[in-house]
Amino acid sequence: MNHLPLIIKREYFTKVKNKSFIVMTFLSPLIMIALIAVVAYLSQLNNEKERTISILDETGYLKGVFTDSEHTNYTNLNGLSLEDAIVLVKEKEDYGLLHISKTNSLDDVTGHVKFYSEDSPSLSVISGLERQIEKRLKEKKLELDGVSLAQIEASQINIDIAQESFDGQKSSKIDNVVKLAFGGAAGYLLFMFIIIYGNMIMRSVIEEKTSRIIEVIISSVKPIQLMMGKIIGTSLAGITQFVIWVILGGVLLLVVSAIFGIDLAQVQSPQQEMVNQAMQAGDPQVMAENLINAISNLPLINLVVAFLFFFIGGYLLYSSLYAAIGAAVDNETDTQQFMLPILMPLMLAVYVGVFTVIEDPHGTVSTVFSFIPLTSPVVMLMRIPFGVPLWQQALSLVLLIGSFVFAVWFAAKIYRVGILMYGKKPTYKELFKWLKY
């Protein structure tokens, strides 16, 4: 008799009715949104902080360069000595003092610029000052050399190379960013799902084994059915939890933004600010059109179908290995020696995806690792947005399914013997012997 549906149902409802599962399902989005809100609020406070920077320019080259902005004010201290200026800045508790000491020539200014402050200054503040000084000194040097700034400004030409395939499909630089975002999100989601819910399967097996419930269950159920029931049941519980997280997290995010007036879109790191500055160099309308074209150029149907197949295949492959580990040991401490061989391919897949797929999605390294079953779910999902022939996707999927079948057989062998073994920490040699039973 096939008991698999009953085991799946039992495993699913055992998980979703568990108090800790229910608490974490609803508490995790609350904690995450609370952390995001706190970070957003603190970032907003930091960005709105008023700064006063005093300028002591003994060269006169930077006259009129620094103008007050929304959150930064500049005070001119020309005519004071450096010692008096520092004392004054300390008394006023200004953010800092920018000192440009007197030099013999414009070329010597580079080594005579210092910023004095009580605490370490912000990287973005220093970078902003450097850009303003560099721009002004460059213009001054050109003026001294008799070069017209107006002519230089008029001679500036921006080149944006148009991209088009031999089949006539147009694209742009932003296409690669969009493809990378879709592929990276898919690969990372699979990676996290395997880590979180693979461990849940392993712990479930260990709990039943240590409570001796397994001895009763195994008398009427085949080990492979029990293992597959645990994998599928736990997977369905994980999907349920994930869907609730997405819905609840999205609602809470909107509520927090509306109530506290926190603009999460304005939360930016210094790196993001620099990216935004680079993006502002182009025409916003053209960039918006390129973004829409980039999304429309994606093989969306292919992405969705491939994501489902590779996500399910990759998760089932690793879940069977997690179940085998849970059956082989008596407690979570003993799992450490067996976890590395499982985690290494996953981490390797992420690194290959990040460092090779970005640069050359159709290169030898990317292509090879997209066929290896232990890395293909992540690497292939990152390659598909860049356009992968269907025969390669099909071959990779066939190899993945074949590996899953082998992994199930392998794990079932260990599971059949391991669930009844107690009190001894198994070795790799003993696991190999169990395969012969």
Side-chain angles (χ1 to χ4, degrees), residues 98-157:
L98 179 65
H99 177 232
I100 303 95
S101 58
K102 191 171 182 61
T103 58
N104 295 324
S105 67
L106 187 63
D107 296 328
D108 297 333
V109 174
T110 303
H112 292 77
V113 181
K114 289 184 181 180
F115 189 86
Y116 298 89
S117 61
E118 189 70 30
D119 302 314
S120 296
S122 166
L123 177 62
S124 59
V125 170
I126 296 298
S127 299
L129 293 173
E130 288 175 344
R131 285 194 299 270
Q132 293 180 75
I133 296 173
E134 287 172 356
K135 181 181 178 182
R136 177 54 181 160
L137 293 180
K138 179 180 178 181
E139 293 174 351
K140 193 69 177 177
K141 188 172 178 58
L142 291 173
E143 288 177 358
L144 293 175
D145 292 339
V147 179
S148 171
L149 296 179
Q151 289 181 339
I152 293 178
E153 188 68 27
S155 66
Q156 296 292 333
I157 299 176

Side-chain angles (χ1 to χ4, degrees), residues 310 349 369-381 396-397 399-400:
F310 279 99
F369 277 92
S370 65
F371 289 126
I372 299 174
L374 290 174
T375 59
S376 63
V378 174
V379 178
M380 183 59 82
L381 285 178
S396 179
L397 190 59
L399 293 174
L400 179 61

Side-chain angles (χ1 to χ4, degrees), residues 101-270:
S101 58
K102 191 171 182 61
T103 58
N104 295 324
S105 67
L106 187 63
D107 296 328
D108 297 333
V109 174
T110 303
H112 292 77
V113 181
K114 289 184 181 180
F115 189 86
Y116 298 89
S117 61
E118 189 70 30
D119 302 314
S120 296
S122 166
L123 177 62
S124 59
V125 170
I126 296 298
S127 299
L129 293 173
E130 288 175 344
R131 285 194 299 270
Q132 293 180 75
I133 296 173
E134 287 172 356
K135 181 181 178 182
R136 177 54 181 160
L137 293 180
K138 179 180 178 181
E139 293 174 351
K140 193 69 177 177
K141 188 172 178 58
L142 291 173
E143 288 177 358
L144 293 175
D145 292 339
V147 179
S148 171
L149 296 179
Q151 289 181 339
I152 293 178
E153 188 68 27
S155 66
Q156 296 292 333
I157 299 176
N158 295 321
I159 299 295
D160 187 8
I161 299 178
Q163 302 177 42
E164 186 173 334
S165 67
F166 289 116
D167 299 327
Q169 185 179 19
K170 296 181 179 180
S171 63
S172 63
K173 290 179 288 187
I174 201 171
D175 280 53
N176 288 337
V177 177
V178 173
K179 291 173 182 177
L180 179 62
F182 273 79
Y188 184 73
L189 181 61
L190 174 59
F191 175 80
M192 293 305 299
F193 204 85
I194 290 173
I195 295 294
I196 295 173
Y197 296 104
N199 275 285
M200 187 182 292
I201 291 172
M202 184 178 66
R203 285 194 299 270
S204 175
V205 175
I206 294 174
E207 287 172 4
E208 289 192 353
K209 180 180 176 180
T210 53
S211 64
R212 302 300 178 93
I213 296 175
I214 202 76
E215 294 178 359
V216 178
I217 299 176
I218 204 66
S219 62
S220 57
V221 178
K222 293 180 179 180
I224 190 170
Q225 289 183 351
L226 183 59
M227 184 185 73
M228 289 303 300
K230 280 189 169 295
I231 292 173
I232 297 174
T234 303
S235 303
L236 293 176
I239 292 172
T240 302
Q241 188 178 57
F242 183 77
V243 170
I244 293 174
W245 281 351
V246 172
I247 296 173
L248 188 58
V251 172
L252 288 174
L253 203 60
L254 294 175
V255 171
V256 169
S257 300
I259 294 177
F260 296 99
I262 299 174
D263 189 359
L264 298 174
Q266 299 299 320
V267 180
Q268 297 179 338
S269 64

